C-alpha cells in the first residue's frame, strides 16, 4: 500500500504524476480497435495491461489507473460484450491494485464520458447516474485510493460524475478532468475555467484538463484555471503538436498529404521529447500539482516529465548519454567522417 494518500500528498504541496493514455498505447501494441476504443484487452490479454502499468510506474508515475476507460455499459453494449461489464471492470481494478501494491503507488478507479449526455434530459441523466454508480462501487470494493472522471465533454456530465463519486465513493477523493476542443468551452457552453471552478466548489479534490489538446494549446487554458481555482489543478495533454490553427489533436493534418491524421496516422504530428520537457517546465511554473500525459503517452515521454518534476524513477538509469555515442559523443578524429556522412551536425 502507498505510504501517503492523494490528499495527504497534495496538502503537503507535493506533486502527483499520473500516466494516462492507455487507449492509444494499447492500440499501438496491437491490442485495441480504433472505432470502438473499448478496453477488451483487459479480458483478452490481462498480462499486457499489467506490463504496461509496470512500465509507466518504472517511468515515474505515482498512480496506477485501472484501464476502464470506455469500459462502461454503453460502450460494451456497442461491441456486444455488455455481459462482461462487471468482469472487465473488476479485472482491470484488480490488476491495477496488484501493480500499485507491488510498487508502492496509488491506485485510481476511472470514469469517462458516457457519450450519451444531453442537456436538460432527466431520463438520460438517470441512465448516466446508474452507469457511474456501478463503476464507482466496483472501484471502492476493489480498493481504489481515489477515483478519476476523465475526458468529460460537458460540465453537466462532469457534475454527475462528481456527484456519483461523492454519493457512492465512501469518501474517496474525486479528480475531475474535462476535455476541451475548440472553442474554449465545454460542449454545454460553459467556459472551461468557470467549469473547473464550479467543480472545485462542489467538492472535487482536483480539477483541470486532460486529452483533447496538446501541450501548446492546453497550457493557456491551464493558466486561466490556475487564476480561478484555489486548490490543486490538473494538466494531462495529448502528446501531439496542436497549434492555434488546429487546437485539438483530432483536427491535425498530415503536413505532406493534408489529410486528417486522427486516429491512425498521428505519428507525423507527434511531439518529441523536448516538447514534453518544455510542457513539464511550464506546467510546473504555473503551479500544476497533478500532472501527466494522456493519449500518445509512452514511458520514454513520461520519464522526461518525471525528471523535470525532480524524480529519478528506475527508467532514469537508461536516460540518454550521447557522450557514449560514436555519432555524437567521442571526439576521435577517426569518427569525423561517419558524422559528416550521417549528417549529425556534430564535427
Amino acid at each position: 500500500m502507498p505510504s501517503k494518500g492523494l490528499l495527504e500528498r497534495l496538502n503537503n504541496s507535493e506533486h502527483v504524476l499520473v500516466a494516462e493514455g492507455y487507449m492509444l498505447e494499447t492500440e499501438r501494441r496491437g491490442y485495441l480497435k480504433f472505432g470502438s476504443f473499448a478496453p477488451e484487452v483487459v479480458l483478452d490479454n490481462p498480462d499486457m495491461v499489467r506490463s504496461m502499468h509496470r512500465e509507466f510506474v518504472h517511468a515515474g508515475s505515482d498512480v496506477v489507473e485501472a484501464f476502464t476507460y470506455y469500459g462502461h455499459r454503453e460502450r460494451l453494449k456497442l461491441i456486444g460484450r455488455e455481459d462482461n461489464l462487471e468482469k472487465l471492470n473488476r479485472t482491470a481494478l484488480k490488476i491495477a491494485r496488484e501493480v500499485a501494491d507491488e510498487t508502492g503507488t496509488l491506485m485510481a478507479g476511472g470514469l469517462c464520458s458516457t457519450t450519451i449526455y444531453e442537456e436538460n434530459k432527466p431520463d438520460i441523466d438517470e441512465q448516466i447516474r446508474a452507469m457511474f454508480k456501478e463503476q464507482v462501487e466496483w472501484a471502492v470494493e476493489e480498493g481504489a485510493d481515489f477515483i478519476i472522471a476523465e475526458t468529460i465533454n460537458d460540465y453537466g456530465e462532469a457534475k454527475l460524475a462528481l456527484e456519483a463519486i461523492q454519493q457512492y465513493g465512501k469518501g474517496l477523493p474525486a479528480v475531475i478532468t474535462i476535455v476541451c476542443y475548440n472553442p474554449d468551452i465545454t460542449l454545454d457552453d460553459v467556459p472551461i475555467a468557470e467549469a473547473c471552478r464550479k467543480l472545485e466548489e462542489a467538492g472535487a479534490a482536483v480539477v483541470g484538463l486532460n486529452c483533447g489538446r496538446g501541450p501548446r494549446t492546453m497550457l493557456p487554458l491551464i493558466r486561466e484555471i490556475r487564476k480561478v481555482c484555489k486548490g490543486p489543478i490538473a494538466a494531462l495533454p495529448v502528446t501531439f503538436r496542436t497549434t492555434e490553427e488546429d487546437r485539438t489533436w483530432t483536427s491535425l493534418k498530415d503536413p505532406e498529404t493534408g489529410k486528417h491524421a486522427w486516429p491512425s496516422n498521428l505519428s507525423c504530428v507527434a511531439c518529441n521529447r523536448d516538447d514534453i520537457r518544455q510542457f513539464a517546465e511550464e506546467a510546473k511554473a504555473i503551479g500544476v500539482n497533478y500532472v501527466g500525459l494522456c493519449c500518445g503517452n509512452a514511458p520514454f515521454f513520461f520519464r522526461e516529465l518525471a525528471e523535470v518534476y525532480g524524480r529519478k524513477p528506475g527508467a532514469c538509469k537508461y536516460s540518454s548519454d550521447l557522450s557514449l555515442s560514436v555519432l555524437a559523443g567521442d571526439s576521435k578524429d577517426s569518427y569525423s567522417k561517419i558524422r559528416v556522412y550521417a549528417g549529425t551536425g556534430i564535427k
Side-chain angles (χ1 to χ4, degrees):
M1 296 293 288
S3 59
K4 290 188 285 187
L6 177 71
L7 294 183
E8 185 179 358
R9 297 177 193 213
L10 294 172
N11 291 337
N12 288 338
S13 299
E14 298 177 33
H15 299 111
V16 177
L17 279 53
V18 187
E20 292 185 358
Y22 285 91
M23 183 183 73
L24 206 63
E25 182 65 6
T26 303
E27 194 280 334
R28 286 195 291 212
R29 298 179 185 204
Y31 293 94
L32 183 139
K33 181 184 294 186
F34 277 151
S36 67
F37 302 103
E40 297 176 85
V41 64
V42 170
L43 297 177
D44 298 343
N45 199 319
D47 285 342
M48 200 286 293
V49 178
R50 187 176 288 108
S51 174
M52 193 159 54
H53 284 321
R54 288 172 177 150
E55 288 177 36
F56 278 124
V57 171
H58 180 66
S61 184
D62 294 320
V63 177
V64 178
E65 182 181 3
F67 189 19
T68 54
Y69 186 88
Y70 274 163
H72 53 57
R73 186 172 295 278
E74 191 69 20
R75 187 51 51 118
L76 294 189
K77 184 190 301 182
L78 179 68
I79 62 170
R81 297 193 71 167
E82 189 178 2
D83 290 346
N84 294 144
L85 174 68
E86 182 172 355
K87 182 179 179 182
L88 185 149
N89 276 265
R90 287 192 184 275
T91 300
L93 289 157
K94 289 179 188 296
I95 292 170
R97 183 73 268 170
E98 173 192 336
V99 176
D101 286 345
E102 73 182 33
T103 57
T105 50
L106 296 166
M107 189 275 265
L111 309 177
C112 70
S113 168
T114 62
T115 71
I116 63 172
Y117 179 80
E118 294 183 47
E119 290 183 75
N120 304 314
K121 294 288 183 69
D123 55 331
I124 294 179
D125 285 356
E126 287 307 309
Q127 187 178 347
I128 291 170
R129 286 191 181 97
M131 290 168 64
F132 285 156
K133 175 180 182 290
E134 59 193 1
Q135 286 192 291
V136 169
E137 289 179 335
W138 292 329
V140 170
E141 291 168 9
E142 298 299 341
D145 297 304
F146 67 99
I147 299 178
I148 300 166
E150 61 175 305
T151 325
I152 307 290
N153 304 308
D154 301 83
Y155 167 73
E157 187 170 42
K159 188 70 160 40
L160 291 175
L162 175 59
E163 290 169 354
I165 297 168
Q166 291 171 327
Q167 186 172 357
Y168 304 109
K170 296 192 174 180
L172 293 183
V175 173
I176 312 292
T177 54
I178 296 168
V179 57
C180 182
Y181 300 107
N182 190 27
D184 298 344
I185 56 177
T186 63
L187 291 191
D188 50 356
D189 298 326
V190 180
I192 292 296
E194 180 183 341
C196 289
R197 177 182 59 78
K198 287 182 175 181
L199 291 165
E200 180 183 68
E201 290 173 351
V206 181
V207 296
L209 300 178
N210 83 292
C211 206
R213 296 191 179 194
R216 191 178 303 171
T217 54
M218 180 180 283
L219 283 168
L221 280 172
I222 295 299
R223 292 188 178 92
E224 294 304 309
I225 293 168
R226 180 70 287 169
K227 290 176 185 177
V228 301
C229 290
K230 299 176 182 178
I233 63 170
L236 300 96
V238 297
T239 64
F240 301 99
R241 286 178 164 173
T242 52
T243 66
E244 275 304 303
E245 182 179 354
D246 294 308
R247 292 186 180 184
T248 67
W249 67 310
T250 46
S251 64
L252 289 169
K253 299 176 184 65
D254 185 319
E256 290 194 4
T257 67
K259 296 179 180 179
H260 277 87
W262 184 90
S264 302
N265 296 306
L266 286 160
S267 57
C268 63
V269 290
C271 290
N272 63 26
R273 300 183 196 209
D274 288 347
D275 295 330
I276 301 304
R277 278 193 168 267
Q278 183 176 346
F279 159 71
E281 288 164 358
E282 292 188 41
K284 189 176 181 182
I286 291 168
V288 174
N289 324 73
Y290 181 105
V291 65
L293 299 170
C294 197
C295 293
N297 188 18
F300 70 90
F301 275 153
F302 205 84
R303 178 179 61 194
E304 301 292 326
L305 183 148
E307 288 181 346
V308 170
Y309 270 79
R311 305 297 181 82
K312 294 294 181 184
C316 288
K317 175 182 178 180
Y318 306 102
S319 294
S320 300
D321 181 359
L322 294 184
S323 69
L324 304 174
S325 170
V326 169
L327 291 177
D330 197 301
S331 60
K332 290 180 182 179
D333 290 341
S334 59
Y335 295 152
S336 61
K337 188 172 183 179
I338 190 173
R339 288 172 179 164
V340 172
Y341 279 32
T344 63
I346 301 171
K347 296 181 179 180

